[in-house]
Amino acid sequence: MTTQKTVKLQLVRSPIGCKESHRATVRGLGLRRLNSVSELQDTPSVRGMIDKISYLVKVL
């Protein structure tokens, strides 16, 4: 039985004033407003998205 690894993210800075692609990445990760938390599967594509907007999010 394999259990999927997950990663929890929290949006800690506002994407206002950021590049449009960074705002789209925030939305793609399921984060809506400040301090919102999203739990996602730990895949290489999700890790890449987290690296792209690392200055906006905190991994819990």
Side-chain angles (χ1 to χ4, degrees), residues 4-49:
Q4 290 287 334
K5 301 260 184 181
T6 60
V7 62
K8 253 185 172 178
L9 292 177
Q10 182 178 15
L11 187 63
V12 293
R13 288 193 57 203
S14 173
I16 295 173
C18 296
K19 291 182 180 180
E20 186 62 41
S21 63
H22 289 203
R23 275 185 259 158
T25 303
V26 168
R27 292 299 307 221
L29 289 171
L31 300 168
R32 291 181 175 262
R33 59 185 65 89
L34 219 51
N35 295 319
S36 64
V37 176
S38 181
E39 190 166 353
L40 304 159
Q41 290 183 358
D42 192 11
T43 62
S45 59
V46 170
R47 284 287 175 167
M49 292 169 81

